[in-house]
Amino acid sequence: MERFIRKLFGLTFSALLAVVMLFGSVVVFAEEYDSKYLSEGVNIAKTRAEIFLNSVGKPVLLEEGILLKNLNGEYEAVSFSMPENGYIIVNIKDLTIPELSFENSNPYDNVKNPIYNGALSYYSKVGEGFVSINDNSSVRLEQFKDVYSKEEIADKEELIRTLENALKNQMRHVNIERYISGSLKTWYISGGHCGSIASAICMRYYYDYVSTTYVPSGSIGQNALIALMQRYVGSGGTTTSDLVNGLNRYFVARGISNSTLSTSSFNFGTIKSKINNSRPVIIDTDGHPTYGEHWIIAHGYFTSPVDGNYVIVNNGWGSNNVWLNTDSGNLDDLIYFSK
């Protein structure tokens, strides 16, 4: 009986060991598969980025990419730095390029647990929450309106071949890149005052390049002009109507013959028309977890039949010349001026 029990136990132990070894192999295989998938995804994304940079006439050797997860913890994108300065973000699922800059440093340099939630939405995962890389504010998942997550395309290699062929035949299409004639100030103060910051930057642009009547001589500096704008458009979170009504009141108070207009959704045609006439456009980016809306300023655009449409903006955090894909999904209302 004792011998039977030992034999039975021995068989059972052997079977358990086999099961453990089997599942252990599956885990190792899954890890190897995930690693291979990500490695291949990063390599294809890098090729996509290089094709884009060659297409716009700014080829560079990209540095090692930084993998970015979305709010759901899935690998979503990769951010590549350029050698001197600049970065480009590529979605590893569908190979779209939501944003890039040729001047600003990679927002994910030296960031632990980097999270990307679409254009200008940079976070770090800390515990169960998120910390904004832009202003260091803490955010919970339920505060976000949307999660940036793309569908996986079926054949990435075929897309790359198509783009490479388009690059070889580039003489068949024309890229257009336009900017306003002057430069925007890169002003920023903390505390979520992006509406009054955008208004102040626009009024200073008008002061510099249109007429000095747009700003009192004693208020042309950053803090003074932002404070002045807060009296009209408000401080903290501001809506489209806050900016439109407030800026119109400002024009009346200054005796300026101009008016503020808006659209209820993003319109690339309006952007192009205003930029071609050297006028900046304020854009609402929806889905800011704390303020609902974040205000940026378009000062250029890029359009290509192959690479798509980009709006070139002051990002509201102190930087100009950030390129945002117009299909990024969170570009919304426009605010602009009749003159």
Side-chain angles (χ1 to χ4, degrees):
M1 182 68 175
E2 182 179 349
R3 184 181 300 172
F4 173 77
I5 293 173
R6 286 178 180 174
K7 185 177 180 181
L8 178 63
F9 178 78
L11 288 171
T12 305
F13 178 77
S14 299
L16 287 172
L17 181 60
V19 171
V20 170
M21 291 177 66
L22 173 62
F23 279 93
S25 299
V26 171
V27 171
V28 171
F29 176 78
E31 289 176 350
E32 289 176 351
Y33 175 82
D34 288 344
S35 177
K36 182 181 179 182
Y37 166 79
L38 287 174
S39 178
E40 290 176 350
V42 170
N43 289 335
I44 292 175
K46 188 174 183 180
T47 300
R48 172 69 184 104
E50 290 169 345
I51 291 172
F52 179 91
L53 295 174
N54 275 282
S55 177
V56 301
K58 299 179 181 179
V60 296
L61 295 174
L62 297 174
E63 298 176 358
E64 184 176 354
I66 301 171
L67 275 166
L68 311 175
K69 291 184 177 181
N70 61 25
L71 292 171
N72 292 330
E74 306 162 336
Y75 286 107
E76 187 70 30
V78 57
S79 184
F80 298 100
S81 295
M82 301 179 195
E84 298 298 327
N85 221 353
Y87 67 93
I88 182 168
I89 296 177
V90 183
N91 188 289
I92 61 175
K93 294 179 180 177
D94 67 357
L95 299 184
T96 54
I97 299 174
E99 69 173 278
L100 67 143
S101 175
F102 295 106
E103 296 183 7
N104 302 297
S105 60
N106 194 327
Y108 290 101
D109 283 342
N110 304 312
V111 173
K112 293 183 179 179
N113 304 317
I115 302 293
Y116 187 61
N117 197 40
L120 305 179
S121 295
Y122 320 131
Y123 295 89
S124 173
K125 184 77 164 63
V126 179
E128 296 301 313
F130 305 89
V131 173
S132 170
I133 296 173
N134 290 318
D135 61 9
N136 207 37
S137 59
S138 296
V139 187
R140 301 184 308 277
L141 180 61
E142 58 269 23
Q143 290 179 264
F144 291 89
K145 179 180 178 181
D146 297 302
V147 174
Y148 174 75
S149 180
K150 295 283 190 174
E151 293 291 330
E152 191 98 20
I153 61 173
D155 196 338
K156 297 174 185 175
E157 289 80 5
E158 177 60 27
L159 175 59
I160 291 296
R161 284 192 292 270
T162 300
L163 292 169
E164 287 175 335
N165 288 332
L167 182 60
K168 291 176 183 177
N169 299 318
Q170 191 166 29
M171 292 302 293
R172 298 181 184 178
H173 70 266
V174 178
N175 295 338
I176 300 173
E177 187 176 344
R178 296 280 188 273
Y179 296 87
I180 58 178
S181 59
S183 61
L184 300 180
K185 296 296 183 182
T186 53
W187 290 346
Y188 173 70
I189 61 171
S190 61
H193 304 291
C194 55
S196 55
I197 293 171
S199 300
I201 291 173
C202 284
M203 290 304 97
R204 178 56 192 265
Y205 176 85
Y206 268 76
Y207 173 90
D208 287 336
Y209 301 103
V210 180
S211 170
T212 55
T213 60
Y214 276 88
V215 180
S217 58
S219 299
I220 60 173
Q222 170 182 291
N223 293 341
L225 189 47
I226 292 174
L228 178 60
M229 287 298 101
Q230 287 176 342
R231 289 167 46 189
Y232 290 91
V233 305
S235 59
T238 48
T239 66
T240 301
S241 59
D242 289 335
L243 266 65
V244 171
N245 295 333
L247 285 166
N248 279 330
R249 287 195 299 271
Y250 178 74
F251 288 150
V252 171
R254 296 288 303 159
I256 295 171
S257 177
N258 202 344
S259 60
T260 311
L261 306 172
S262 67
T263 64
S264 58
S265 60
F266 184 81
N267 187 304
F268 191 56
T270 299
I271 294 282
K272 292 193 294 182
S273 175
K274 287 298 174 181
I275 297 301
N276 289 341
N277 285 286
S278 207
R279 294 294 185 264
V281 180
I282 302 174
I283 304 174
D284 163 32
T285 62
D286 268 350
H288 191 285
T290 304
Y291 308 111
E293 296 170 309
H294 177 63
W295 297 103
I296 59 180
I297 310 169
H299 59 90
Y301 69 85
F302 171 85
T303 182
S304 165
V306 174
D307 298 305
N309 300 323
Y310 286 79
V311 59
I312 303 167
V313 306
N314 174 299
N315 65 7
W317 308 105
S319 297
N320 286 327
N321 298 307
V322 178
W323 294 36
L324 303 180
N325 191 307
T326 59
D327 292 329
S328 61
N330 63 338
L331 301 178
D332 198 7
D333 301 358
L334 303 182
I335 294 175
Y336 55 97
F337 308 103
S338 61
K339 297 180 182 180

